[in-house]
Amino acid sequence: MIEDRYRVQSVGRALDILEKIAVAGKGGARLTDLAQEVGITKAAAYGTLLTLKARGIVTDVGEGLGKRYRLGLALVRLGDLALSGTGIADVAMPVLRQLTQTTGITSRVAIWDEDAAVVVGRADAPDAIRLDSALGRRERPHCSAVGKIFLAAMPRSEALELLERIGTPTRTPKTLSTLPALDAALDTVVAKHYAIDDEEDHEGVICIAAGVFGHNGATVGAISVTTLKQLLPNAAVPALAQTLIDHANRISLALGGLPAQTGWRARA
Amino acid sequence: MIEDRYRVQSVGRALDILEKIAVAGKGGARLTDLAQEVGITKAAAYGTLLTLKARGIVTDVGEGLGKRYRLGLALVRLGDLALSGTGIADVAMPVLRQLTQTTGITSRVAIWDEDAAVVVGRADAPDAIRLDSALGRRERPHCSAVGKIFLAAMPRSEALELLERIGTPTRTPKTLSTLPALDAALDTVVAKHYAIDDEEDHEGVICIAAGVFGHNGATVGAISVTTLKQLLPNAAVPALAQTLIDHANRISLALGGLPAQTGWRARA
DNA sequence: AACGCTGTTTTGTAATATTAAACAATAGCT
DNA sequence: AGCTATTGTTTAATATTACAAAACAGCGTT
């Protein structure tokens, strides 16, 4: 068990500061604001920022008054290394780009990590409305297409237990928030080999996802397409889903894995 | 001036640990090794790792004995946010991919940061030998093509002063290590609008780079192509350089900036 | 079966990070 | 212009905090 007493406080505070800088975005964050938001003294935050700056984790822009702190380029390297450790991001990217090029729809890859589907790759459609497709985004399992893929792939009892543990908050009127409803939805995923998020997380936004399978049949990832509901007629969904499955299979193949047909068999 | 006394030690050690995990690569690093390499006790390293793990900065794979620590997915988000803060990475990527597709050569984008050219984007040639093109890599100014672009763009006195301050270590027999030689090389860059690293950093590897200019004529970035020397005849260099300059201009244009012709004028 | 190696936990202590307050310097306002 | 309100930067002193050393438990190997 992880006891709080073993954790080092200063490092936790440093990460708090880093998070605040991250959400501050391109404008950057000011020292006084950071200290207040994190709940420590200016001096403490200052020392921490000095340390982070010396390693390139943060950068400061401006001089003297109104100086702003932004995320540093050292994080670029660490993030890239973390990505390459996933084993699927690099392989999936070319396939994703082709998928987006042929369909004109933004596509993404996600892997499972700590009770969430984490986006580790994306191919943005050039002319599409820029939806929030930030890398590293953690998608809720119960109201995201990629999340449902992972849920459907695990033993059902385990999936329901997980959902009960982390909760199924209502995000929109169409969010499936009850366990029986989600149980049935997962049955559909297993039967059809793809998952849908039909305005269950964001109003007006629809997602379709398909699974990527490794050499032992394990679900190592999921790819998805995301677009506005009004741009995708219901009748067009099956065809798009099949295209998605085909591309997912190409990734599985490149990883030395199994196609979807085989991958889902065990769960049916 | 930054005094060491203001820096927080624990955070520095946490970053040391993170760096060791980063260089350990996909295999991961073990607790005992990390503690020894960083020079602290197992218990201290353990507490730090617990803190980092709770935030997703690191992940542990395996159970009990031989447990390994790897970079966590929280770094993916932070790295992506740091990238989007550069303002050029996103814009340059499509152009880079097209450049690589037409030439078959790996291409990259770099920006200037803290006395080095930092790679913030890459488009790997599919069939090329995988050269070390990791994101976040800091290229030495005096023996890299992108580095010379930035050096040539700044006032010459400042460039030479910088080189003297950070040193010009010899990497290969062809490395330009003397200030007069580098001074002359920068003259060539300004005259020809592109820079070359001809086996000056790695034997057998040649790079060509061109500058990207912002709306006020400032050098906001540099793009480059990297390939094996034996694959690129000397006679083919000028044409490739021109292609590179054309693509760099497209990026400058997309940023609302000036073309190379105008960008270099002030330095001539 | 005993050893050698893990990762985990404990406790005391001293170094450490923190707070609080004072400082310098800028920008805005009357 | 002068005053005020904030900013980022230092300082010095305290007690909290992170650390080292050692003991513990679990697995693999000899």
Side-chain angles (χ1 to χ4, degrees):
Chain A
M1 196 54 182
I2 300 177
E3 302 264 348
D4 276 11
R5 112 170 60 141
Y6 299 137
R7 299 216 275 239
V8 10
Q9 197 176 62
S10 329
V11 176
R13 290 213 241 252
L15 296 177
D16 286 339
I17 292 178
L18 206 59
E19 175 61 25
K20 297 295 183 187
I21 296 178
V23 300
K26 304 179 69 168
R30 300 186 317 166
L31 169 62
T32 306
D33 296 337
L34 285 174
Q36 187 176 4
E37 290 173 23
V38 174
I40 57 178
T41 321
K42 277 192 302 180
Y46 184 66
T48 303
L49 284 169
L50 241 51
T51 311
L52 293 174
K53 194 181 106 176
R55 310 300 192 91
I57 303 294
V58 305
T59 320
D60 52 355
V61 48
E63 194 105 6
L65 216 121
K67 184 187 237 180
R68 294 215 136 83
Y69 291 91
R70 290 202 279 127
L71 296 181
L73 293 179
L75 290 169
V76 172
R77 171 168 165 264
L78 292 173
D80 190 50
L81 287 172
L83 262 189
S84 67
T86 64
I88 182 177
D90 295 330
V91 179
M93 283 313 297
V95 178
L96 239 55
R97 273 194 291 271
Q98 186 170 356
L99 175 61
T100 289
Q101 192 166 9
T102 59
T103 63
I105 303 178
T106 295
S107 58
R108 309 191 288 178
V109 206
I111 63 175
W112 187 252
D113 173 77
E114 299 277 343
D115 299 344
V118 183
V119 177
V120 293
R122 64 185 148 99
D124 289 319
D127 54 344
I129 299 92
R130 187 57 70 100
L131 303 167
D132 180 17
S133 67
L135 238 51
R137 181 182 154 87
R138 304 184 70 84
E139 300 278 3
R140 271 171 256 261
H142 75 292
C143 62
S144 69
V146 285
K148 286 182 195 168
I149 290 289
F150 292 106
L151 289 178
M154 56 178 73
R156 188 57 52 88
S157 61
E158 189 179 324
L160 296 176
E161 191 178 309
L162 165 64
L163 288 172
E164 197 166 30
R165 174 162 49 83
I166 67 172
T168 56
T170 298
R171 303 270 302 163
T172 77
K174 298 181 76 173
T175 303
L176 304 180
S177 297
T178 70
L179 259 52
L182 283 162
D183 190 20
L186 295 183
D187 280 338
T188 308
V189 173
V190 173
K192 301 208 167 184
H193 297 180
Y194 68 86
I196 297 196
D197 149 27
D198 188 5
E199 299 188 290
E200 298 163 33
D201 186 47
H202 262 66
E203 302 219 34
V205 175
I206 186 171
C207 282
I208 310 177
V212 176
F213 304 93
H215 61 283
N216 55 354
T219 308
V220 297
I223 67 173
S224 71
V225 287
T226 304
T227 188
L228 295 179
K229 169 89 170 169
Q230 52 189 308
L231 298 178
L232 186 69
N234 282 340
V237 168
L240 179 56
Q242 187 55 50
T243 304
L244 199 62
I245 292 172
D246 292 341
H247 283 77
N249 284 345
R250 301 232 315 261
I251 301 174
S252 299
L253 197 68
L255 291 171
L258 305 163
Q261 196 70 22
T262 315
W264 285 112
R265 187 153 305 160
R267 283 94 180 177
Chain B
M1 196 53 185
I2 301 177
E3 301 265 350
D4 276 10
R5 110 168 64 139
Y6 298 138
R7 298 214 269 236
V8 10
Q9 196 177 60
S10 329
V11 176
R13 291 213 240 253
L15 295 177
D16 285 339
I17 292 178
L18 207 58
E19 175 61 26
K20 296 296 181 186
I21 295 178
V23 300
K26 304 178 70 169
R30 301 187 316 166
L31 170 62
T32 306
D33 296 337
L34 285 173
Q36 187 175 4
E37 289 174 23
V38 174
I40 57 179
T41 320
K42 277 193 300 180
Y46 184 67
T48 303
L49 284 169
L50 241 51
T51 311
L52 294 174
K53 194 180 105 178
R55 309 301 192 93
I57 303 294
V58 305
T59 319
D60 52 355
V61 47
E63 194 104 7
L65 216 123
K67 185 186 234 180
R68 293 214 136 82
Y69 291 91
R70 290 201 280 128
L71 297 180
L73 292 179
L75 290 169
V76 172
R77 171 168 164 264
L78 293 172
D80 191 49
L81 287 172
L83 263 188
S84 68
T86 64
I88 181 177
D90 295 330
V91 179
M93 283 313 297
V95 178
L96 239 54
R97 273 194 290 270
Q98 185 169 357
L99 175 60
T100 289
Q101 191 166 8
T102 58
T103 62
I105 303 179
T106 295
S107 60
R108 308 192 289 177
V109 205
I111 64 175
W112 188 252
D113 173 77
E114 297 278 344
D115 299 344
V118 183
V119 178
V120 294
R122 65 186 147 98
D124 288 319
D127 54 344
I129 299 91
R130 187 56 70 99
L131 302 166
D132 180 18
S133 66
L135 238 52
R137 181 182 153 88
R138 303 184 70 85
E139 300 277 1
R140 270 170 258 261
H142 75 291
C143 61
S144 68
V146 285
K148 285 181 196 169
I149 290 288
F150 292 106
L151 288 177
M154 57 179 71
R156 188 58 52 89
S157 61
E158 190 180 323
L160 296 176
E161 192 178 309
L162 165 64
L163 288 172
E164 196 167 30
R165 175 161 48 84
I166 67 173
T168 56
T170 298
R171 302 271 301 163
T172 76
K174 299 180 79 171
T175 303
L176 304 179
S177 298
T178 69
L179 259 51
L182 283 161
D183 190 21
L186 296 182
D187 281 338
T188 308
V189 173
V190 172
K192 301 207 167 184
H193 298 179
Y194 68 88
I196 297 196
D197 149 27
D198 188 4
E199 299 187 292
E200 297 163 34
D201 185 47
H202 262 66
E203 303 219 34
V205 176
I206 186 170
C207 282
I208 310 176
V212 175
F213 304 92
H215 61 281
N216 55 354
T219 308
V220 297
I223 67 174
S224 71
V225 286
T226 304
T227 188
L228 295 179
K229 169 89 170 170
Q230 52 189 310
L231 298 178
L232 186 69
N234 282 340
V237 168
L240 180 57
Q242 188 55 50
T243 305
L244 198 62
I245 292 171
D246 292 341
H247 283 77
N249 284 345
R250 300 233 312 264
I251 300 174
S252 299
L253 197 68
L255 290 171
L258 305 163
Q261 197 69 20
T262 316
W264 285 112
R265 187 153 306 160
R267 283 93 180 179

